[in-house]
Amino acid sequence: MSMTPEQAAWFQGTFTRLVENVDKAVQGKHDVISLVLASMLAEGHVLLEDAPGTGKTSLAKALAATVQGTSSRIQFTPDLLPSDVTGVTIYDQQNHKFEFHKGPIFASIVLADEINRASPKTQSALLEVMEESRVTIDGVTHEAGRPFLVIATQNPVEQAGTYKLPEAQLDRFLIKTSIGYPDLAVTESILAGASDRNPSSHLSAIITTGAVADMADLAASVHVEPAVLRYVAELAEATREDGGVRLGVSVRGAIAMIRLAKVWAASRGRHYVLPDDIKALIAPAWQHRLLLDAEAEFAGTTADVVLARVLDRIAAPQARTAA
């Protein structure tokens, strides 16, 4: 059953309240907060490529406080083991049985800080839980719960001692974006409250984690016209055919776009997706999924340039506005 206009109006109001609440702790970043929140409601994960000190931890904590959830932070280092992320089974001598001790991945919002500093083996420990929201240890499956959002970060400046994320793992992030530094006025406001080391601790929860799961289910019912589905498929195919690209957008990437666009449309008070939603989301949803040809990259071609070419080449449909 498709979302109704009344449900879309409620979704928009709730989404706006959530963003405004997080904005109290992470000031001046309304657009980024909206993207991250939309990713959580689309049940995807976020990759932030940012310099240190831009508010990544504050964002994770504020989001968890807003949805009455839990948050954890994993500092990825070269000596971090997969069990340090997922947890480990330990034998209890008193009870004479093995007990599973959950790792920090079992939280509503998980900040995986500097993920590219861990070894590929540890990075791969995230693959199953990011894709399936569960962890299998010693043959036993443990559910991560809902909501479940991994916010992974990597430093774009200091690359010494880092391991490049493989394309298979990059493809599992719903979006890639950046918080960036605040403008002068917002920086001044932040400095005025610098004595408060944990601004997210003062936030009140807007909804429960159960309500977040309900919002995710509701967003999944947003209507998408066949013409819009074909538009996304044509755009994805065009990235694979572009002369400057070695690896274009996968089918998983096209599915991710539809999931994200449904939430984005609902957050705008619509129960249907428009081609403009796809255009607005194409950069954060797809730029990290493109592997550029070495010669094209040397000539100055970027993922954004390729996506702009694709948008110019593929005509957007005149989609109907309702189911």
Side-chain angles (χ1 to χ4, degrees):
M1 183 176 179
S2 297
M3 177 187 284
T4 65
E6 293 76 20
Q7 289 173 323
W10 173 85
F11 192 104
Q12 180 185 27
T14 304
F15 189 94
T16 301
R17 288 170 56 212
L18 293 172
V19 171
E20 290 174 349
N21 199 58
V22 175
D23 190 62
K24 295 175 184 177
V26 187
Q27 301 178 37
K29 297 298 177 181
H30 187 278
D31 292 342
V32 176
I33 295 170
S34 297
L35 272 174
V36 173
L37 180 58
S39 298
M40 182 175 71
L41 294 173
E43 300 189 295
H45 306 284
V46 177
L47 179 62
L48 294 179
E49 190 170 75
D50 249 321
T54 53
K56 299 181 289 291
T57 303
S58 296
L59 173 61
K61 288 184 176 180
L63 191 56
T66 297
V67 301
Q68 208 175 62
T70 57
S71 66
S72 66
R73 180 178 180 272
I74 309 172
Q75 181 62 52
F76 278 69
T77 56
D79 59 348
L80 192 74
L81 299 174
S83 58
D84 295 329
V85 176
T86 59
V88 64
T89 301
I90 299 177
Y91 183 73
D92 190 329
Q93 293 184 347
Q94 291 183 342
N95 298 326
H96 302 289
K97 63 180 182 179
F98 287 95
E99 292 185 352
F100 177 64
H101 292 251
K102 292 183 176 181
I105 198 67
F106 289 92
S108 305
I109 314 293
V110 179
L111 179 65
D113 209 6
E114 294 190 294
I115 187 176
N116 56 333
R117 291 204 175 276
S119 67
K121 184 176 181 179
T122 302
Q123 290 178 12
S124 66
L126 287 175
L127 290 179
E128 180 190 14
V129 67
M130 286 175 58
E131 184 72 13
E132 303 179 16
S133 296
R134 63 186 183 186
V135 173
T136 302
I137 304 292
D138 296 329
V140 180
T141 299
H142 306 272
E143 299 292 335
R146 298 174 74 195
F148 174 62
L149 172 68
V150 173
I151 302 177
T153 74
Q154 59 181 9
N155 190 336
V157 179
E158 187 182 356
Q159 297 299 321
T162 63
Y163 300 86
K164 184 180 179 181
L165 293 180
E167 280 69 31
Q169 185 155 329
L170 281 172
D171 204 34
R172 281 168 167 78
F173 287 101
L174 188 67
I175 67 167
K176 177 185 176 184
T177 187
S178 171
I179 296 178
Y181 292 114
D183 60 31
L184 187 61
V186 173
T187 301
E188 186 177 358
S189 176
I190 293 172
L191 294 177
S195 58
D196 186 359
R197 298 178 64 87
N198 188 15
S200 61
S201 64
H202 306 299
L203 297 181
S204 300
I206 302 299
I207 58 176
T208 64
T209 53
V212 173
D214 292 339
M215 286 184 72
D217 292 337
L218 184 60
S221 68
V222 169
H223 179 72
V224 186
E225 281 285 315
V228 176
L229 295 175
R230 184 174 182 83
Y231 181 51
V232 172
E234 289 177 343
L235 288 172
E237 186 176 25
T239 65
R240 298 192 288 266
E241 295 175 348
D242 189 275
V245 174
R246 287 174 54 200
L247 185 66
V249 174
S250 66
V251 175
R252 181 192 285 124
I255 293 172
M257 172 65 84
I258 295 299
R259 286 165 47 202
L260 186 61
K262 286 183 175 185
V263 178
W264 199 251
S267 72
R268 267 65 184 156
R270 284 183 276 105
H271 61 290
Y272 50 87
V273 174
L274 293 176
D276 285 346
D277 296 322
I278 308 301
K279 295 177 182 179
L281 297 169
I282 195 168
W286 281 1
Q287 63 179 215
H288 61 292
R289 303 175 193 271
L290 300 181
L291 182 60
L292 301 180
D293 179 84
E295 292 185 7
E297 197 169 8
F298 182 76
T301 300
T302 64
D304 287 334
V305 169
V306 172
L307 293 175
R309 280 202 301 248
V310 166
L311 286 174
D312 286 340
R313 191 185 317 151
I314 306 299
Q318 298 296 319
R320 291 180 293 172
T321 60

